[in-house]
Amino acid sequence: MIRLLNICVIVGLVVAAAYVYRIKFESTRKAEEVARLRLEIRREHDAIAELRAEWSKLDNPIRIQDLAQRHTSLRMIDSHQFDQLSNLPDRPPDLVPPDSPDPIGSLLDSKDLPTASVPTPSVPTPRSAK
Amino acid sequence: MTAIDVAQDLVAEPAPKPAKVPWRRALMRTLLYGRNVDRAAKTRARLGLMIMVFALGYTVIAGRLVMFAAVPEGHMGRRTMVQDAIATARPDILDRNGEILATDVRAPSLFAEPNRIIDVDEATELLTGVLPDLDTTELRERLASRRHFAWLKRDITPKQRAEIYRLGLPGIGFLPENKRVYPDGNEVSHLIGFVNIDNQGIAGIEKWLDSSGLADLHMAGLATDHVQEPVRLAVDLRVQHALRDELLKARDKFKAKAADGVVVAVRTGEIVAMVSVPDFDPNNPREALDPNRINRVTTGVYEMGSTFKALTLAMALDSGKFGLNSTWDARAPLQYGRFAIHDDHPMGRYLTLPEVFTYSSNVGAARIALAMGVDAHKAFLKKMGQLDRLRTELPESAEPIVPRHWGELNTITIAFGHGLSVAPLQAVMGICALMNGGYLIPPTFLQRSEADAQKLATRVIKPETSDKMRYLMRLNAEKGTARQADVPGYYVGGKTGTSEKVVNGRYAHDRVLNSFTAVLPADDPRYLVLIMLDEPQPLPETHGFRTSGWNAVPTGGAVIARIAPLLGIQPRFDLPPADQLILGQTTASR
């Protein structure tokens, strides 16, 4: 009985040693992987922080205003240029049925064809005072 | 315990018949063990006991191993992170729309371990080759010392780092550090403040961050973590820019010494923009030491001039003793002892209370304050927070200059804003309370909801008085001194203030401090704008005038036209004049 137990224990020991070695090896590998990923995350964080700082520097209103003044002829917005959606005129009636196979042809056929339109200026002329 | 039981059992078994042994050994055995003892059985029992003991020992070890495996790793992972950041990581500061006002980037810093350096001269020569701005003698001294650690240069560029690395010097190393950057430069300087080389807040919101817990975190060594919750301020970068841009233009145009402005949300006390030019670049904190670049909105105290008439009139209206139709004698300058109070535009007749406001009559305001009495005047200003130091999140604040002996003459002058110096932000807080229905709300740089503001608010005047004050402000923009700021569509109300500065103990006529306070829209106030110009000069366009209506008011108008769309105020046209829209509502609701 004792001998059987001894054999069992020795076999168990060998198996356990092998298993523990494998686990140890695996865990070392995993730990290295974790450290690598952590470093990578940290570098990514740093890169993101740097890019965000650069972005907001480029996005800075002083710079945008400078660029706008130098390269465009935009003027300051006037309070008269704002309006509400409810003040929009109704949509004009469709001159062409939506499922027409020949839209231009049916447009030419329709009786009340608009001939010309007078566009309203979107920007009011500045008052003489300014 | 069980092992002992087993052993006893084994002993108790009836012993098998002993084998034949020589008598001498039998004698020895008897002497040693006793007469009827079976040695074989006893040995088995002992072995069993040993097996038990060892099994128990190994079970304990196995159990402990399982515990190690099951409990997740504790502080092992953290240890590597702490040592690589010396300067504190600070949370990002964002504006109310999430635009970055201040953030951290990582920059390498150069250090030396002088005791490990072999050739000091060679190291000095090579290092100054890469970093020409290093002082050679100082560098040599540092390297020649036998210390274990010395900083050589903080935040170098990655390129310099690579070059130094390639020099291959022993005893020279790099540490990554957090460096604070302010992408918006001058734009938010006074508000944000700045940090020192160790990333500790020195001024502004940065200092406030430190005092509200960050410094303790840093002391505990925990503030190195990169991910901290960003701090959101109430300031709107776009509004801030518009205000600053217009103030810079006005400062150039009128050749003023300084210009400053604030935009405050009337119902919450949030400071949406605050500018004081000349300002500084927080990336270069040395500029901030210039005393000319102080934050005039919170750190300066000024006699606010006619702006204070709003408080005087509100006091009279709120007392219930005087109404909008009361009249005041402004036929002649007011004589008090050897002093005479004059009007800028003497009308030479009795004025109604709204006329006192729109003509900005010093005599009228003084008579109103006198009619209320010195004590009532003082108590009212105390209630409006004008006599105590106003504290906000910013560490910089100033005590108002209050006359030590407050007599009738003081009341007369303070009625039209002379003789009492307050911080502009303080005056803004008072005027806000006159506009928003009578709630005095301490201003804040952090975001705050209307419900939270209501909890902090104290009622100082009646809602009806507030309605009347808004009527007066609107009236002043329709036909008074603030006409040039009446941007169509926003129903602006405003009050001007021109105060002469004290030079050598006398009021100087050619040095004025002009202010303009505007509320928009006056019928349902949402924002209050204060513009101040320090010593603006008369121009041909202003017909040689230097009063507020000619410089601060047009500046205010330009600011309002720019910021109102940003603040989401809808333009409305064809609104009835103030006496119908605001006063009409009041009488209807009563």
Side-chain angles (χ1 to χ4, degrees), chain B residues 356-426:
Chain B
V356 169
F357 197 71
T358 49
Y359 294 132
S360 200
S361 163
N362 293 342
V363 176
R367 285 197 194 281
I368 291 172
L370 279 180
M372 292 298 299
V374 173
D375 291 335
H377 190 207
K378 203 171 168 179
F380 184 78
L381 290 180
K382 178 94 182 163
K383 189 167 70 170
M384 300 302 287
Q386 303 300 308
L387 305 184
D388 301 303
R389 179 186 284 230
L390 171 69
R391 291 191 190 276
T392 58
E393 285 84 11
L394 291 196
E396 302 91 6
S397 68
E399 187 95 31
I401 302 174
V402 183
R404 205 168 301 150
H405 307 290
W406 189 315
E408 278 202 327
L409 182 62
N410 298 94
T411 281
I412 289 172
T413 57
I414 290 169
F416 54 87
H418 286 71
L420 172 67
S421 299
V422 297
L425 193 59
Q426 203 163 10

Side-chain angles (χ1 to χ4, degrees), chain B residues 34 53 105 224 255 271 405 457 565:
Chain B
V53 168
V105 295
T224 49
K255 297 180 186 62
I271 297 168
H405 307 290

Side-chain angles (χ1 to χ4, degrees), chain B residues 2 35 63 228 235 254 300 356 425 432 458 460 520 527 529 531 536 576:
Chain B
T2 46
R35 215 169 167 67
Q228 293 187 54
V235 65
F254 300 109
V356 169
L425 193 59
C432 269
T458 44
V460 284
L520 68 155
Y527 293 96
V529 181
I531 305 289

Side-chain angles (χ1 to χ4, degrees), chain B residues 469-485:
Chain B
M469 287 313 297
R470 281 188 280 116
Y471 158 71
L472 290 180
M473 292 284 266
R474 176 60 195 160
L475 192 70
N476 199 31
E478 277 170 12
K479 45 179 102 153
T481 47
R483 277 190 308 271
Q484 292 204 50

Side-chain angles (χ1 to χ4, degrees), chain A residues 2 5 34 38 42 45-46 49-50 52-53 56-57 59-62 65 76-77 79-80 82 84 127, chain B residues 51 77 84 92 99-100 103-106 183-184 187 226-227 237 241 244-245 488 490 562 565 570-571 573:
Chain A
I2 298 268
L5 194 67
V34 166
R38 211 170 252 166
R42 159 139 268 185
H45 266 303
D46 293 350
E50 209 155 301
R52 267 159 52 96
S56 48
K57 197 159 201 163
D59 208 17
N60 183 348
I62 299 182
Q65 184 175 333
M76 208 61 84
I77 201 161
S79 58
H80 291 273
F82 292 95
Q84 292 172 14
R127 281 162 294 161
Chain B
I51 290 172
D84 62 353
D92 287 358
E99 296 287 335
I100 297 176
T103 186
D104 272 352
V105 295
R106 305 272 278 174
D184 298 302
E187 203 94 82
H226 228 280
V227 193
L237 184 61
H241 168 74
R244 180 168 179 271
D245 196 49
Y490 297 120
R562 268 181 87 167
Q570 202 176 342
F573 298 98

Side-chain angles (χ1 to χ4, degrees), chain A residues 22-90:
Chain A
R22 241 195 54 191
I23 288 183
K24 170 97 169 82
F25 185 72
E26 190 80 346
S27 72
T28 315
R29 226 171 46 83
K30 286 265 158 72
E32 274 169 15
E33 177 82 7
V34 166
R36 198 180 57 77
L37 285 178
R38 211 170 252 166
L39 186 72
E40 215 163 278
I41 290 170
R42 159 139 268 185
R43 288 216 177 116
E44 287 294 313
H45 266 303
D46 293 350
I48 291 170
E50 209 155 301
L51 289 175
R52 267 159 52 96
E54 195 169 330
W55 178 22
S56 48
K57 197 159 201 163
L58 295 178
D59 208 17
N60 183 348
I62 299 182
R63 180 172 171 276
I64 301 285
Q65 184 175 333
D66 268 4
L67 290 177
Q69 279 172 353
R70 199 178 313 154
H71 298 291
T72 67
S73 54
L74 296 174
R75 269 191 289 134
M76 208 61 84
I77 201 161
D78 190 279
S79 58
H80 291 273
Q81 286 169 274
F82 292 95
D83 214 335
Q84 292 172 14
L85 276 179
S86 57
N87 288 355
L88 277 182
D90 288 339

